[in-house]
Amino acid sequence: MDDKPDPGPLSESSELFSFGVIADIQYADLEDGYNFQGSRRRYYRHSLLHLQGAIEHWNKESSPPCCVLQLGDIIDGYNAQYKASEKSLELVLNTFQMLKVPVHHTWGNHEFYNFSRDYLTNSKLNTRFLEDQIAHRPETMPSESYYAYHFVPFPKFRFILLDAYDMSVLGVDQSSPKFQQCLKILREHNPNTELNSPQGLSEPQFVQFNGGFSQEQLNWLNEVLTFSDRNQEKVVIVKSQNSVE
């Protein structure tokens, strides 16, 4: 039996640091609608008010968060149909400028409904400039072929931001080898004509709106985790929240 005394809950004064999390803003200048399955109502215009409220809360904190993690789907895919993708993204990013701390962006399926991977790489949704590099450890540097990085918001804590759409048919040229490779994987696991449908699948994650990790990215992740383990760092893995929508 463990004889160590129970340290009890952390008091407010013993808090090391905090961080904010927000996901699925999915802004669009549209009337309310529903998700792909028609099971969940979406309040497209109203989502901006929720973002503003969250930012106001974070800014008023007596001990503000060290950063905010934006977990993808910052604007809704419907923007692409109305040719409003850039306008909507600019509006949401301008709202984020009210935030007094850095924001780290991940990319979800709705980013790729609106933009190509090349566009995102060169946009303000690429926050890789906020990464922390580990001296003399080149194996912990991510490749340019996927969007991932790590940073240290507080000593002995490392956050690793992953590219959950590294392997995906979304956002890449249909003539590219990666598209063909990902499409092949999808069709091997999903016989449905509608590849967004998980109907009848024993592995329902194999749908078109999902993505995955390349072996290259997983190898890089392993190197960073190995470094953190050897240096007794606590690790937080950050990626877009989507698995099966």
Side-chain angles (χ1 to χ4, degrees), residues 215-233:
Q215 191 59 52
E216 182 186 16
Q217 185 178 181
L218 291 174
N219 291 343
W220 166 78
L221 173 61
N222 185 61
E223 294 290 354
V224 180
L225 291 175
T226 298
F227 175 87
S228 291
D229 184 50
R230 288 173 178 167
N231 289 274
Q232 298 183 316
E233 294 179 336

Side-chain angles (χ1 to χ4, degrees), residues 122-186:
N122 294 289
S123 75
K124 292 179 181 178
L125 286 179
N126 183 344
T127 47
R128 188 170 165 177
F129 66 92
L130 295 172
E131 71 180 338
D132 287 315
Q133 298 182 5
I134 302 173
H136 311 299
R137 295 284 183 171
E139 68 277 9
T140 64
M141 283 288 294
S143 166
E144 295 290 341
S145 64
Y146 50 84
Y147 171 58
Y149 62 91
H150 51 87
F151 62 98
V152 178
F154 191 86
K156 292 297 181 179
F157 285 82
R158 188 171 300 277
F159 284 36
I160 306 175
L161 187 147
L162 298 180
D163 185 347
Y165 283 82
D166 181 10
M167 296 294 292
S168 172
V169 296
L170 302 179
V172 292
D173 193 295
Q174 294 188 11
S175 64
S176 69
K178 177 169 273 192
F179 177 90
Q180 297 301 325
Q181 178 188 6
C182 294
L183 184 61
K184 181 175 182 291
I185 293 171
L186 264 182

